[in-house]
């Protein structure tokens, strides 16, 4: 298979991991005993540099892709203090020309939260399975322990410890044990229509092969606002992330310099509510990946437009 790079489980898992905790903390009324919800999205995406994020190579080619995404989530208020969440997500991307880069990702999670005054203690398990070009590619399992503390009516803090395991099919040396420490802070407006989150992370990846082992401090920012314009409900979201991957191997082949990759990513999303169940979602993304390793030194941009059905 030729060189590639593409969005894979890490970003999707991070998004899913924060959702249950935020949902539990920001609900104003008592939660029903059972709850179910789901979303289905279909759309098109343009990508300037087709790639796969778990591999340090980029194709240098642009392409268009068809998108299909689906989520289903369930919640159970087991007792006054104990709440259980579960969910499943499917992401499928089919390129117009780059068939070797077609990706299908399955995600499943189970999350348990126990309320102790202003703090919710939680433990969760996430499992991801990715297929690349219709062939098994990557299996990722993660478990986390965390606390969601309400510092005030509008300010929440969430420290977490995450342990994970990566298993690649037919790629020697990249199987890895992972660890992550994170601390996120969330500020909500009084009416709940706007929020800002700031997060600090430190990741360790202990791959079988020394050249793939690294530590990565990172900072990320998210902002969101909901409003009504043209009598239609809308939402704007902005995200930014900067990470520095410090590789254990002190040098790269054919160079005496140490490898310390710098990764910078930006994204902007606009959601336009068309009706109670339908919405139009447009998204722009940009990534700048700097490395002394030529195959990992590149930039990319993406633009997508999707129609979403919620139920």
């Amino acid at each position: 298979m030729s060189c590639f790079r593409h969005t894979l489980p890490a970003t999707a898992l991070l998004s899913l991991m924060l959702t249950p905790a935020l949902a539990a903390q920001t609900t104003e009324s008592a939660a029903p005993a059972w709850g179910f919800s789901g979303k289905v999205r279909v759309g098109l995406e343009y990508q300037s540099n087709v790639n796969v994020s778990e591999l340090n190579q980029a194709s240098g080619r642009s392409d268009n892709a068809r998108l299909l995404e689906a989520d289903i989530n369930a919640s159970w208020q087991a007792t006054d203090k104990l709440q259980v969440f579960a969910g499943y997500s499917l992401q499928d991307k089919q390129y117009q020309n780059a068939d070797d880069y077609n990706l299908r990702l399955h995600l499943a999670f189970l999350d348990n939260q126990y309320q102790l005054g202003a703090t919710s203690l939680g433990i969760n398990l996430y499992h991801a399975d990715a297929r690349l070009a219709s062939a098994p590619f990557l299996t990722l399992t993660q478990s986390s322990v965390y606390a969601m503390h309400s510092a005030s009516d509008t300010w929440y803090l969430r420290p977490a410890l995450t342990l994970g395991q990566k298993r690649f099919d037919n790629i020697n040396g990249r199987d890895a044990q992972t660890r992550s420490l994170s601390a996120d802070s969330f500020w909500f407006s009084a009416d709940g229509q706007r929020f800002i989150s700031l997060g600090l992370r430190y990741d360790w990846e202990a791959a079988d092969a020394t050249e793939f082992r690294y530590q990565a401090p990172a900072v990320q920012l998210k902002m969101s606002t909901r409003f009504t314009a043209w009598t239609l409900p809308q939402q704007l979201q902005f995200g930014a992330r900067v990470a520095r991957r410090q590789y254990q191997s002190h040098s790269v082949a054919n160079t005496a310099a140490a490898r310390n990759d710098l990764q910078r990513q930006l994204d902007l999303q606009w959601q336009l509510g068309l009706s109670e169940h339908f919405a139009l979602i447009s998204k722009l993304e940009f990534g700048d990946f700097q490395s002394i390793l030529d195959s990992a030194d590149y930039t990319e941009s993406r633009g997508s437009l999707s129609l979403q059905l919620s139920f």
Side-chain angles (χ1 to χ4, degrees), residues 21 34 36 45 52 54 60 72 78 89 91 114 120 122 128 136 167 170 222 225-226 247 282 286 303 310:
W34 289 93
F36 297 93
E45 179 183 271
V52 177
E54 293 296 337
I72 185 168
S89 175
Q91 299 178 16
Y114 190 81
S120 178
R167 289 291 178 263
N170 304 317
K222 290 183 179 295
T225 180
R226 296 178 182 271
Y247 282 82
S282 60
F286 175 77
S310 302

Side-chain angles (χ1 to χ4, degrees), residues 160-203:
L161 169 65
T162 302
L163 303 178
Q165 184 178 62
K166 291 182 179 180
R167 289 291 178 263
F168 289 85
D169 293 83
N170 304 317
I171 303 179
N172 296 328
R174 286 191 178 269
D175 290 354
Q177 303 290 330
T178 65
R179 290 175 293 160
S180 177
L181 285 174
S182 62
D184 295 278
S185 184
F186 304 88
W187 293 271
F188 291 83
S189 62
D191 59 5
Q193 296 301 299
R194 292 169 297 280
F195 84 83
I196 299 174
S197 72
L198 179 65
L200 302 176
R201 295 177 58 85
Y202 205 102
D203 297 317

Side-chain angles (χ1 to χ4, degrees), residues 247-259:
Y247 282 82
Q248 180 173 321
S249 180
H250 295 296
S251 63
V252 177
N254 301 321
T255 179
R259 183 181 175 190

